[in-house]
Amino acid sequence: MTATQTRFRPDRQLTVRMLVTMFLLGLLYIAFIAALVALFKSWILVVVIAAGLLAAQYWYSDKIALFAMHAHEVSAQEQPRLHGVVDRLCAKADMPKPRIAISHMDMPNAFATGRNADHAVLCVTTGLLRRLETEELEGVLAHELSHVAHRDVAVITIASFLGVLAGLLVRFAFYSELFGGRRNDQNTALLLALIMTVSVVVYVISFLLIRALSRYRELAADRAAAILTARPSALASALTKVSGDIARIPTEDLRTAQPFNAFFFTPALGDGATLYNLFSTHPTLERRLAQLAKISVQLGEPA
């Protein structure tokens, strides 16, 4: 869970946070599996369902994300500027080049996904390419590549699986109670209520753990990108520009993209976002800019 195989700066605090998050989620798995066994009364069925969903999310997360964002892979001939920037960054970071994809959305954003550096895909929207200068684009793409190098993309993908599974089980228990309540005896109704309660608790805890990890990993990616490119000001400029433009994107488009907020460069949130610090997948813009300003001073970057 480190970036020691690349030239991206390792982040031990990020590694520790990922390990702690996975450990705590592992404890939740134990309670959750017990609830599943109580519901289905079959260890085999539980293992098949859980393993199948986890495998699908882990092995096909890149394809799922690209499909949901209406993105497609592009060649160097189709996007020479984008491929050129990624080529330079990968050479500088000494890491494998990911597959490159484009999403034809006006919302300016980018994300990286995939289970490891050899199976990663880097996706940018046409809105991002249209708005950013090359140095700003380099900062954003370095940020996304650092997620791959630090392997936190895979950790977030695995961690989010528990929340997805809990959410599915809540719906299953709810509809079972709603449509089958009259046919169920009292013990079955109590069991469904207990499972729904456990599922809700698991979902809430995993939700908060993932978001706490996600906020820190964004700061870690900003730091790593700023140091690799030696241009914190370019990344800060991109952050300011993208965050301001996202607020002007139609609400309907933002809602479509919000399920992937944990993977985005900046969250798809409008001006009406509330409870930001606790529930957001990203730290505040002010905190990110302050960190980049500090790094700029440390690197002695000219104004």
Side-chain angles (χ1 to χ4, degrees):
M1 293 186 183
T2 67
T4 53
Q5 296 179 347
T6 73
R7 293 197 181 101
F8 275 106
R9 182 178 180 180
D11 193 308
R12 292 183 177 83
Q13 289 192 44
L14 175 61
T15 301
V16 170
R17 287 167 186 260
M18 288 192 293
L19 290 172
V20 170
T21 298
M22 294 301 291
F23 174 75
L24 293 176
L25 288 174
L27 295 180
L28 284 179
Y29 265 110
I30 296 175
F32 198 59
I33 291 298
L36 285 174
V37 172
L39 175 63
F40 295 109
K41 296 180 172 62
S42 170
W43 277 99
I44 297 177
L45 183 60
V46 169
V47 170
V48 170
I49 293 175
L53 289 174
L54 178 58
Q57 187 163 358
Y58 181 72
W59 289 95
Y60 301 105
S61 59
D62 53 343
K63 295 179 177 61
I64 294 172
L66 293 182
F67 176 80
M69 294 298 294
H70 307 289
H72 65 278
E73 292 184 37
V74 291
S75 65
Q77 289 72 32
E78 294 173 294
Q79 287 289 337
R81 177 193 175 209
L82 178 58
H83 272 269
V85 173
V86 175
D87 285 338
R88 292 193 296 273
L89 288 172
C90 288
K92 186 180 293 187
D94 191 22
M95 67 182 293
K97 182 182 179 181
R99 307 193 316 274
I100 307 298
I102 290 287
S103 173
H104 293 280
M105 298 178 63
D106 187 52
M107 180 188 70
N109 229 318
F111 67 89
T113 185
R115 60 186 183 274
N116 54 45
D118 293 322
H119 298 87
V121 57
L122 178 60
C123 179
V124 300
T125 65
T126 52
L128 185 78
L129 291 175
R130 181 169 57 84
R131 287 172 171 87
L132 298 188
E133 301 295 333
T134 299
E135 287 184 346
E136 295 170 333
L137 179 63
E138 184 180 66
V140 173
L141 297 182
H143 170 104
E144 295 303 328
L145 288 173
S146 75
H147 283 314
V148 177
H150 287 139
R151 303 181 186 177
D152 56 71
V153 171
V155 172
I156 285 291
T157 298
I158 296 172
S160 62
F161 163 73
L162 183 59
V164 171
L165 188 58
L168 290 174
L169 191 59
V170 167
R171 292 184 180 90
F172 176 83
F174 175 77
Y175 287 116
S176 295
E177 179 68 16
L178 183 64
F179 296 110
R182 294 181 179 178
R183 298 189 299 271
N184 292 329
D185 56 28
Q186 185 175 4
N187 290 336
T188 303
L190 289 174
L191 177 61
L192 285 173
L194 176 61
I195 291 172
M196 183 178 290
T197 301
V198 172
S199 300
V200 170
V201 171
V202 168
Y203 179 82
V204 170
I205 294 176
S206 62
F207 178 93
L208 295 176
L209 286 173
I210 291 169
R211 273 151 182 76
L213 174 61
S214 181
R215 288 192 294 272
Y216 185 85
R217 84 183 189 112
E218 293 303 327
L219 291 173
D222 283 348
R223 284 194 298 271
I227 293 171
L228 181 74
T229 62
R231 290 299 302 270
S233 60
L235 180 56
S237 175
L239 266 171
T240 303
K241 190 179 294 186
V242 169
S243 298
D245 284 351
I246 280 182
R248 292 190 284 272
I249 298 296
T251 303
E252 183 177 350
D253 294 339
L254 293 180
R255 287 175 179 170
T256 301
Q258 281 174 3
F260 295 93
N261 269 348
F263 296 94
F264 281 145
F265 173 63
T266 53
L269 297 173
D271 291 331
T274 57
L275 298 177
Y276 187 92
N277 290 332
L278 181 60
F279 298 131
S280 177
T281 54
H282 292 62
T284 61
L285 175 62
E286 292 76 13
R287 186 177 180 186
R288 296 177 76 174
L289 293 178
Q291 176 182 248
L292 291 172
K294 182 178 179 180
I295 295 174
S296 182
V297 171
Q298 293 172 347
L299 295 178
E301 182 185 24

